[in-house]
Amino acid sequence: MNNILFLSSVVIIVSIFMYRYLSKFGVPMLLVFISLGMIFGVNGIFKIDYENYELSRDICSFALIYIIFFGGFGTNLTMAKGIIKKSLILSSLGVIFTSFLTGIFAHYILKLDWYTSFLIGSALGSTDAASVFSILRSHKLNLKENTASLLEIESGSNDPFAYVLTISFLTLSKGGLNLPILLFKQVCFGLLVGYIFAKISILSIKKVRNIDSGMSMALIMASMLLSYSLSEFIGGNGYITVYLLGVLVGNIRFNKKTEIVSFFNGITSIMQILIFFLLGLLVNPLEALKYTVPAILIMIAMTILIRPFVVYLLISPLKSSRGQKLLVSWAGLRGAASVVFAILVVVTNKEIGMVVFNIAFIVVLLSIAIQGSLLPFFSRKFNMIDEEEDVLKTFNDYSDTEDVDFITAEINESHKWVGKQVKNLEFMPSVLLVLIIRNEQNIIPNGDTIIEKDDRVVLCGSSFVDRDTRINLYENVVDKNSKYKNKSIKELPKNTLIVMIKRDDIAMIPSGNTTILENDTLVLLDR
């Protein structure tokens, strides 16, 4: 147990520092993780002989739940208006056509049997959400015609369809497969369970008040895992379930949402590291080299022929520009899901599975290295960069660069604002009264609104952002010997600024007449 914890922590830390350094040269993040896995692997420096595909299947399948859920949770549907139809067509029919055309190419050009060919096609059928999100964010690529949202939704929602195809072809070898019934159960049951759990989760989040961000994270995570397991139990597709759950829950407003998005973003990053590190650890480079030529041919065919053909066929009738079709054709990156599905094949049939796994490994490696690295270049080449927008708006954790902060104040009966209209109040520049809480009712004020005693007002202003100025705060607990004990704020030296007093678990903003008591915790500005 201790060895596993030690190795895991070292891998994560080394991965982060390697990425921070190599990203300066445009090296894709996931390529760093694969390389690190190979360094630890049987032909690497550390010579770890790891071939447990069953355990890897379980770990990677678990990790993929988080990746697919966050793909839905982070997608902003408001920004995706007008392209949802294109995205869903590409994520469903696009995967099916790509898988079958890749299988046909592998059979006729590479002379592989039909079964192996279609397993390769199904494993490589979906595009990679993690790679697409990473490149769009890191390069801040906002694309014209809502193309960024199109790629996000397509890559976030197409993994379940590739999974269905992979499972279908694996089941074919056992006989007795009723493909229409299997597809119906996988898709319909998956959507139904996802919708039901989304409604329950949304209702729970809205009804349970005063729940902190930690509990909200736990609730959403439990809903995600429970919905996946229940969907799989009744024959549905758990990945479809968690994706729909993520989309529906991620597009409602609730407290501490930004913190939750950041949490799942971090967890998803760890899951990506895990999957690609395991891929590098599992692969035997000397064995994989035997499949270099067929893998390169499949990579070229998918990038230059199959993906463009499918994209033009499916979205040309939907009023897409030439630039959008060309860029979407190039942006069909393969990644984590292809690795997981290839491992599923190995567990079911090791002889055929090793062929699928090694070819998938090389294709994923080339796809991330070539397509991923050149995506920014082709975005400019096809004149698809939108300089006036921010790609982060297409994600649910977007916040404008000019942030605002909110503060609140209690209006007691002696406050000078009592009885005054909002338009007659004197505010500091760039400060706005945005909300009045009165008798547990929220009031959006206007200029004629009158302030009453016991009101709680919420003010907003621009956040303080100055890279050259650092504000440091520190705490001081008032004991019986403290120099602050029983003194009022106005009696303190002029160079002492107390910004907050914590008293009996209550935080208060002091005035000049506030008296400091023993056991108070003072929050002071360090000058």
Side-chain angles (χ1 to χ4, degrees), residues 189-209:
F189 287 4
L191 291 174
L192 179 63
V193 174
Y195 180 79
I196 292 173
F197 269 84
K199 289 299 181 183
I200 294 172
S201 300
I202 292 170
L203 184 64
S204 301
I205 291 170
K206 290 184 175 180
K207 289 293 183 182
V208 180
R209 296 185 177 182

Side-chain angles (χ1 to χ4, degrees), residues 259-332:
E259 295 177 20
I260 293 172
V261 173
S262 298
F263 167 78
F264 277 105
N265 188 24
I267 290 291
T268 302
S269 296
I270 292 174
M271 296 305 173
Q272 293 170 29
I273 293 174
L274 184 61
I275 288 179
F276 284 97
F277 178 77
L278 278 178
L279 171 60
L281 199 61
L282 281 170
V283 73
N284 185 328
L286 298 178
E287 183 70 21
L289 283 174
K290 300 176 183 177
Y291 301 92
T292 301
V293 173
I296 290 175
L297 291 176
I298 290 175
M299 168 66 183
I300 293 173
M302 294 186 74
T303 306
I304 306 300
L305 299 174
I306 297 173
R307 171 77 176 178
F309 173 77
V310 171
V311 169
Y312 270 75
L313 175 68
L314 294 179
I315 70 172
S316 288
L318 302 178
K319 298 181 180 179
S320 296
S321 69
R322 178 174 178 270
Q324 184 181 64
K325 287 182 285 191
L326 286 171
L327 186 59
V328 172
S329 298
W330 181 261

Side-chain angles (χ1 to χ4, degrees), residues 35 52 65 80 84 108 196 218 240 269 392 398 414 424 494 504:
S35 302
N52 194 333
I65 296 173
I84 292 180
Y108 284 107
I196 292 173
I240 290 179
S269 296
L392 299 181
Y398 168 77
S414 62
N424 296 323
K494 292 184 178 180
D504 298 327

